[in-house]
Amino acid sequence: MNSIASGTVLITGPTSGLGKAATLAIANRPASQRPDLLLVGRAGQALTEVAELARAAGATVHHIGCDLARLVDVRDAGRQVKDLLADGAVRPLRGLVANAGVMVADTHNASADGYELTFAVNYLAHAQLVGDLLDTFVAPARVVLVGSNTYHQNIFRRILKVPPAVWRDPVELARPASPDTPATSEQSGIAYSNSKLAILYYAHELQRRAPTGINVSVFEPGFMPGTALSRDHGPGLQRVGRLVERIPRVSSPTDSGPALASIVLDDRWAQLSGGGFVVKDREREVKPFANDAAREARLWEATGELLAGAAAAECGP
């Protein structure tokens, strides 16, 4: 049994798509290669069902209902995780997979805390959860953030009209679109790509600040249309996505879920750190602008301000 498998792995967004596939890939490993599982996702039948499937495979599983669009929920989930660890209900925390994500159709939409919804769920919620649990990990441990190559544009994404990130100060990225800004698919795509560039910047800065023995990496599952990520875009777009999945070299949860499980568990990836970027099953270099110490430091500072502001608003005057 390797060190990660001897502990507990937390996964966000385990109810469908990539997260569900990764959860079940871990649960179905032999007992000697299988950690305990903490599943953090929206409360309901889907969360209960995936937990039951993982238990049926032999895993020790606890599930925690959490709406990642509500930072009070995220903070509460962190407290529940700490309680389970303190009570010995699960083994030491050695892995966290920040998988949950959305791509909302309208950037006017705000989270419960007033932040642009894509940025709030994809980035801020995970920064809150990781930050709350950072002193709880037992080394060696791994934090795996789910990223995307959409942060930059290539010929393929240009043909598909997938816009790259347009970086601005993080406080600005956290603001919903102004009322006079039209809701367009381009704005939605930019918000998604910005959130994924934020994840790369955060991974680099987190590695600088994390305790020794906690390795931080970013996993890109490949182009994976037709998943729950596009649920806010309606059934038409999702049907198109499922058709595109049949094209050779297009990814699916069936392929990428086990690859994500491997990143967090297998000895092959034990030295992966520093925000190393893995596309499917190979480490890749990110574009030069995705390594920017000044932006990374500012993102860390602004994230603290945004999370503190949400917590203060919850407490009231």
Side-chain angles (χ1 to χ4, degrees):
M1 179 180 290
N2 71 23
S3 55
I4 307 301
S6 70
T8 293
V9 171
L10 184 156
I11 302 176
T12 68
T15 58
S16 63
L18 178 66
K20 184 175 183 179
T23 296
L24 297 181
I26 292 173
N28 282 289
R29 288 188 167 213
S32 63
Q33 301 173 31
R34 184 174 61 222
D36 296 343
L37 287 169
L38 291 173
L39 307 182
V40 176
R42 192 182 294 270
Q45 183 178 354
L47 182 59
T48 302
E49 286 180 352
V50 72
E52 290 175 348
L53 287 170
R55 288 191 193 102
T60 296
V61 182
H62 290 267
H63 58 287
I64 298 172
C66 174
D67 182 352
L68 293 177
R70 297 173 55 86
L71 288 171
V72 63
D73 272 23
V74 179
R75 291 190 292 271
D76 184 60
R79 285 190 287 269
Q80 291 186 58
V81 169
K82 288 185 174 183
D83 287 345
L84 288 167
L85 292 165
D87 292 344
V90 292
R91 291 177 284 178
L93 184 62
R94 292 190 181 272
L96 187 151
V97 179
N99 161 76
V102 297
M103 181 177 178
V104 299
D106 187 346
T107 54
H108 296 91
N109 291 336
S111 70
D113 305 285
Y115 300 135
E116 192 280 316
L117 192 55
T118 302
F119 190 76
V121 173
N122 294 2
Y123 172 66
L124 284 176
H126 288 117
Q128 177 78 68
L129 186 62
V130 172
D132 288 347
L133 296 176
L134 197 55
D135 62 354
T136 309
F137 287 96
V138 174
R142 301 179 194 176
V143 175
V144 182
L145 310 166
V146 174
S148 173
N149 262 325
T150 62
Y151 77 90
H152 73 95
Q153 195 167 66
N154 60 10
I155 293 175
F156 177 66
R157 286 188 287 278
R158 187 177 295 115
I159 292 170
L160 291 177
K161 298 184 178 179
V162 177
V166 180
W167 190 254
R168 307 191 306 279
D169 187 82
V171 172
E172 294 180 26
L173 295 178
R175 292 193 189 108
S178 61
D180 59 344
T181 302
T184 65
S185 59
E186 181 179 18
Q187 290 303 314
S188 171
I190 290 172
Y192 179 79
S193 296
N194 281 336
S195 74
K196 294 303 181 177
L197 181 54
I199 285 170
L200 286 170
Y201 287 150
Y202 173 72
H204 300 151
E205 191 67 19
L206 176 62
Q207 187 68 84
R208 295 183 186 108
R209 296 169 182 266
T212 301
I214 299 177
N215 287 355
V216 183
S217 61
V218 180
F219 174 73
E220 150 70 280
F223 180 53
M224 197 167 57
T227 67
L229 184 69
S230 59
R231 59 181 175 266
D232 289 339
H233 291 261
L237 182 59
Q238 292 181 48
R239 282 195 295 271
V240 171
R242 285 190 288 271
L243 290 173
V244 174
E245 278 184 0
R246 301 175 186 176
I247 299 173
R249 299 180 66 185
V250 170
S251 298
S252 72
T254 303
D255 302 322
S256 295
L260 176 53
S262 176
I263 297 295
V264 74
L265 284 178
D266 289 343
D267 289 338
R268 172 187 176 188
W269 303 105
Q271 303 307 313
L272 183 66
S273 65
F277 188 60
V278 175
V279 179
K280 297 184 181 179
D281 63 353
R282 289 189 180 183
E283 188 173 4
R284 305 286 191 183
E285 292 292 328
V286 296
K287 296 298 180 182
F289 70 85
N291 276 299
D292 188 313
R295 285 184 175 183
E296 289 156 8
R298 172 55 189 155
L299 176 64
W300 189 273
E301 176 187 48
T303 299
E305 296 169 2
L306 293 165
L307 297 180
E314 177 197 341
C315 295

